[in-house]
Amino acid sequence: MNKTLTAKILTATAENIKTAAHALQSGEVVGMPTETVYGLAGNALNPESLAKIYAAKERPTFDPLIVHVSQDALSGGVSSLHKMGLVDIQALSDLARARIETLIKTYWPGPLTLVLPKLPGVPDLATAGLPSVAVRMPKHPVAQALLKESGLSLAAPSANRFGRISPTKAEHVFEELGDRIGYILDGGSCEIGVESTVLSIAKDGTPSLLRPGQISRPELEALLGTQVGTGVSGEKQGAAIAMGQVAAPGPGMLESHYAPTKPLYLLTRSLAALSHSPEALTEDPVLKEALSKNPSRIGVLLMLGNPQTAQTTFSKWTKASVEAMSLSTSGDLAEIAKNLFSRLRELDHSNADILIAEPCESVEGLGHAISDRIRRASAKRAEAR
Ligand code: TXA
Ligand code: MG
């Protein structure tokens, strides 16, 4: 099926930011760069705009959105979030309030999303009916300019179709949503490349990590001087509400995310480790399963090193041709995160039959976020079960 790609990619000039801001004020949705990934922005307090976000992304409404706020709110800390009609500060204990103020002072603007008790005026569509709202102050100057120019708080999920690879360039947004939105502001390649850390602060101040990102759990624990637990993600909670809190969402239903269209197999060990192992195929059942499909072309995603080595290694196991890409030259996690989604997207566009990825060997800090994204990208999809 041919789709008509009518979206305009706009260079982020002052005039174009005005054009995008007007579109937002009149209820439209706009592709917006942030320092993590590109978002699909709409007026957070207008249910019609929110409905357009869900429709464009084909996103189920049980998956809540993140509300982006302007840097102007920084001076007032958490009370500014109350004035903006978002956060119920009366519901917060003194400890919760103090923790939120510390987090805001330390990390905003930046890649930290806080899930906080919401005010009644926040539309249910933004929060999937949950009693909390996710708020973030992006650092990207174009996102900030758009927030300021529009005077709105902007709900913005990642600007990909639901479950697909997140966009880190304006062209990726065009590929994903070019047939269904008007404008995409071009802010260049996203600096971080994986989505923000999502941290919930309960009314009593208890912190829980809902999604790993650049800002890591140990860093948050050191700052808050307390342990940070693991919470249930917003989409799981929202799904439970949508199902009348009776049935749990089906297995795998929410696990698959950030997924390429081709099957992606995640190795249990690095290619270097496997290449030294005579029993590689039995030691790594995933490799065995992938090669049992008799692919004639394989796309390989390496965490580090020279992609040419992949061809040599694979020639021991298969006659298939190999197109490999590497995420970094040195194993630097920031470099891996920045390249992850765009290289995965490139391999997905190649003529490979299947994709095989190395695991991220580090699970600390950004390594936790990278491992989380690549694991979900390789998770079997619900419909395939
Ligand atoms: O870096 C980012 O956060 C990007 C950019 C565009 O800012 N946005 C983003 O949005 O990743 P999205 O929609 O792809 O992810 C939002 C996630 C939800 O899936 C959910 O897990 C969590 O944030 N979330 C949102 N509201 C929540 C709530 N009230 N309670 C718990 N989790 C929530
Ligand atoms: Mg997303």
Side-chain angles (χ1 to χ4, degrees):
M1 193 180 71
N2 261 338
K3 49 184 191 174
T4 331
L5 300 171
T6 48
K8 283 198 183 116
I9 297 187
L10 303 176
T11 317
T13 59
E15 196 176 325
N16 285 340
I17 287 170
K18 270 201 181 115
T19 305
H22 284 148
L24 289 166
Q25 285 160 346
S26 54
E28 294 309 315
V29 295
V30 166
M32 164 179 88
T34 83
E35 70 279 21
T36 55
V37 301
Y38 274 73
L40 178 61
N43 181 352
L45 298 179
N46 177 355
E48 279 167 34
S49 305
L50 299 172
K52 286 183 188 165
I53 293 177
Y54 283 98
K57 277 186 61 99
E58 298 170 40
R59 176 170 171 133
T61 49
F62 61 69
D63 195 358
L65 306 175
I66 295 174
V67 178
H68 296 65
V69 298
S70 159
Q71 198 161 351
D72 295 344
L74 200 56
S75 52
V78 69
S79 28
S80 303
L81 299 177
H82 188 96
K83 284 196 203 107
M84 293 165 115
L86 300 173
V87 175
D88 181 4
I89 55 172
Q90 256 106 48
L92 298 168
S93 70
D94 289 348
L95 178 65
R97 214 175 146 140
R99 285 185 171 163
I100 297 163
E101 296 288 5
T102 304
L103 289 160
I104 290 180
K105 249 191 217 119
T106 311
Y107 293 117
W108 280 10
L112 179 71
T113 295
L114 294 172
V115 172
L116 306 171
K118 72 158 202 165
L119 280 171
V122 182
D124 275 343
L125 262 183
T127 64
L130 294 170
S132 54
V133 60
V135 193
R136 143 163 152 79
M137 186 182 286
K139 195 173 186 174
H140 198 294
V142 176
Q144 278 302 330
L146 189 60
L147 285 158
K148 199 176 169 108
E149 184 67 42
S150 66
L152 301 170
S153 299
L154 297 175
S158 51
N160 50 279
R161 277 170 287 150
F162 183 68
R164 297 292 176 198
I165 304 173
S166 303
T168 55
K169 292 180 184 175
E171 303 83 72
H172 299 164
V173 182
F174 187 77
E175 261 174 56
E176 291 284 326
L177 306 171
D179 59 335
R180 44 192 93 171
I181 64 175
Y183 300 116
I184 301 160
L185 274 175
D186 190 348
S189 286
C190 300
E191 191 188 315
I192 298 174
V194 292
E195 296 84 349
S196 60
T197 303
V198 180
L199 182 74
S200 143
I201 301 290
K203 290 178 186 169
D204 67 357
T206 307
S208 319
L209 187 66
L210 305 185
R211 180 174 71 186
Q214 188 197 51
I215 297 167
S216 68
R217 189 198 304 263
E219 209 179 318
L220 292 165
E221 290 181 336
L223 179 75
L224 298 175
T226 187
Q227 281 201 334
V228 172
T230 301
V232 181
S233 76
E235 61 266 42
K236 278 205 176 133
Q237 293 176 57
I241 289 182
M243 293 177 170
Q245 297 189 311
V246 189
M253 182 170 157
L254 303 159
E255 185 60 10
S256 167
H257 219 121
Y258 318 106
T261 53
K262 299 183 198 294
L264 171 65
Y265 295 86
L266 178 60
L267 300 174
T268 57
R269 299 165 69 197
S270 72
L271 209 56
L274 289 171
S275 71
H276 294 126
S277 154
E279 286 86 32
L281 288 176
T282 43
E283 277 176 13
D284 192 306
V286 179
L287 178 62
K288 195 170 176 183
E289 191 196 338
L291 297 182
S292 74
K293 311 281 178 222
N294 291 319
S296 36
R297 287 174 299 267
I298 305 176
V300 177
L301 192 65
L302 301 173
M303 286 291 141
L304 80 153
N306 182 347
Q308 270 149 20
T309 57
Q311 175 83 62
T312 324
T313 305
F314 270 91
S315 66
K316 292 189 206 168
W317 305 316
T318 168
K319 290 196 166 45
S321 68
V322 169
E323 176 171 346
M325 283 195 184
S326 177
L327 293 175
S328 72
T329 47
S330 62
D332 174 46
L333 292 176
E335 191 186 352
I336 294 176
K338 184 169 180 181
N339 292 326
L340 178 66
F341 287 136
S342 63
R343 300 265 154 91
L344 190 55
R345 186 177 284 271
E346 267 182 72
L347 279 179
D348 203 26
H349 288 324
S350 73
N351 59 11
D353 308 312
I354 62 165
L355 307 181
I356 295 182
E358 283 188 316
C360 177
E361 309 238 283
S362 160
V363 286
E364 294 300 314
L366 248 183
H368 184 195
I370 296 163
S371 301
D372 169 75
R373 304 308 190 275
I374 196 138
R375 180 178 55 76
R376 288 175 194 248
S378 66
K380 290 206 171 63
R381 278 155 234 164
E383 63 267 29
R385 289 180 180 234

